[in-house]
Each structure stands twice: as C-alpha cells, then as structure tokens.
Amino acid sequence: MNKVDDNPSRAERAHATRELILTAAERLFAEHGVLAVSNRQVSEAAGQGNNTAVGYHFGTKADLVRAIARKHLAQIEERRQQVLAEIGDSTDVRDWLSCLVRPVTDHLAEVGSPTWFARFGAQVMTDPMLRPIIVGETQSSPSMVRVLAGLELCLQHLPDDVRAERFDMSRQLLVHMIAERERALADNTPTPRAGWRDAATGLVDALVGLWLAPVTTDS
C-alpha cells in the first residue's frame, strides 16, 4: 500500500505564502497608506519570520500593489463581462453606468465585511507614483474598454471638454464613495444605504444625474 504524502509541495507552500502576503499588504495599505507601510511590516503581519519574504515573492512594492490589484480586478472583470452580455448594445446611459459600478460593489458584497480593496484603491489612486498602476490595469480590461466605448456613444451630444471633465468627476465618485462606505462598514458607523446593492443604486443615480446635467455655455 502506497503511503499518502500529506505534506504540501513547495509550489503549494509558496502560493499559500503569497496569498498571506497579499491579504496582509492590502489591509495595511488600505488602513495606513502604501508609503507608510514597510515590507517588514507586511511580512510580520503575514506571519513570515523572514523579513525579505515580500521582496522574494513579489519584487518591488509597486509589483506588490499590481498583484493586489490584479487579484481583485480579475474577479471584477468576470462580473462585468456578464453584465455586458445582458445589456448588449444598449443606448441607455444608466445601463453603462450600472456596468461600471455594480461589478465592483457586487464583488465587495461577495467578499464580505471587512473588505479593504476599495480603500486600497483610493490610497493608490491618490499616490502619483502608484496611480498609473491602477489606471493601466483598469484601462487594459476588455470589459472596461467596452463600457467606456458604450458611454461615449450615449454621450456624443456633449462637447469633448465636458465629456473629459465628467469622466474625471465620475472616477472620483466611483473610487471614493465606495471607499467611504467600506471604511464606514469597517468602523461600524452608520451608512446611508443598508447594503452594497442599494449603495450601488444610489451611486448610479448620482452618476446618471452628473452625465445628463445641462451644459452651461458662456455667451
């Protein structure tokens, strides 16, 4: 009778270590900011006695930030592709904005409280050195490319500068309103909406109002 080897392989141990580091880094970066957290602190929070574990498994801090983003964005991508299949070639701006918002909030709802990804994203987006990482990963998403194209088609009546301005406003709302709700849930403080689904509805309503607001032109 062959003896069953219950010991995990080296690859399995390495994968488990990487996951511990990703989780610890995401939480610390979300709560304290990326620059305020050292690789040593991440290693300790991940239960790693070797303070070089972060560098060994991920390389630079930028590489670690990218790995955290990719872990979540891959799951959000799957959700967004599903929503895209449902809305098809819609000409309703609300459909495209829902496709922008709901895959993110649905992902956070599934992960369960506490989550850190929204606050992590907000921290990274306010860091001029790290911001291009999130922007690049998001813009390379096939589903996001299609969402932005769908929005553009719905909003061709707006001047180019107004569209650019409102895209910037939308990004601020999307990043920071979701992060604020996540922070409130982590702190057990009241939130305007009971659940992530209702919160998404409120955010979509606000974004629809923003995009369909009248444009004032100087006479």
Side-chain angles (χ1 to χ4, degrees):
M1 182 175 179
N2 294 330
K3 181 179 179 180
V4 177
D5 186 2
D6 292 328
N7 293 324
S9 68
R10 181 176 180 179
E12 290 171 333
R13 292 196 302 271
H15 175 74
T17 299
R18 284 175 58 89
E19 289 299 308
L20 288 171
I21 291 172
L22 285 174
T23 300
E26 182 182 335
R27 175 176 60 81
L28 291 174
F29 291 165
E31 293 177 345
H32 305 290
V34 180
L35 294 182
V37 177
S38 68
N39 284 356
R40 179 174 182 171
Q41 288 172 309
V42 173
S43 294
E44 290 176 350
Q48 303 303 303
N50 187 346
N51 292 329
T52 65
V54 173
Y56 175 79
H57 286 280
F58 293 98
T60 66
K61 183 174 285 187
D63 293 327
L64 178 56
V65 167
R66 184 175 290 105
I68 295 169
R70 285 180 175 176
K71 176 182 177 181
H72 288 276
L73 292 176
Q75 298 174 52
I76 293 170
E77 174 73 10
E78 290 183 11
R79 291 180 177 276
R80 188 169 282 123
Q81 290 287 3
Q82 293 171 2
V83 179
L84 282 170
E86 294 172 3
I87 68 173
D89 296 323
S90 174
T91 56
D92 186 347
V93 67
R94 179 179 292 275
D95 285 340
W96 295 104
L97 291 171
S98 293
C99 195
L100 189 67
V101 173
R102 292 195 184 278
V104 180
T105 55
D106 286 350
H107 171 65
L108 294 173
E110 182 176 315
V111 171
S113 189
T115 59
W116 296 279
F117 182 61
R119 286 171 290 166
F120 160 81
Q123 294 279 12
V124 173
M125 286 296 287
T126 55
D127 186 307
M129 298 299 293
L130 298 173
R131 184 174 183 269
I133 294 174
I134 296 290
V135 173
E137 292 295 326
T138 302
Q139 290 181 343
S140 65
S141 155
S143 67
M144 185 61 76
V145 170
R146 187 176 166 195
V147 168
L148 295 180
L151 274 173
E152 287 279 1
L153 287 174
C154 293
L155 302 165
Q156 294 182 78
H157 63 285
L158 293 174
D160 291 345
D161 57 341
V162 173
R163 280 207 308 274
E165 181 181 55
R166 293 185 183 184
F167 268 119
D168 287 343
M169 293 176 181
S170 297
R171 183 174 57 251
Q172 293 294 326
L173 282 173
L174 183 64
V175 170
H176 294 288
M177 289 304 297
I178 293 177
E180 281 299 314
R181 175 177 170 78
E182 184 184 74
R183 183 177 295 107
L185 291 175
D187 294 340
N188 290 316
T189 56
T191 57
R193 304 274 183 156
W196 277 112
R197 184 173 183 80
D198 288 342
T201 298
L203 182 53
V204 170
D205 285 346
L207 289 170
V208 170
L210 188 159
W211 279 106
L212 299 184
V215 178
T216 302
T217 56
D218 294 331
S219 55

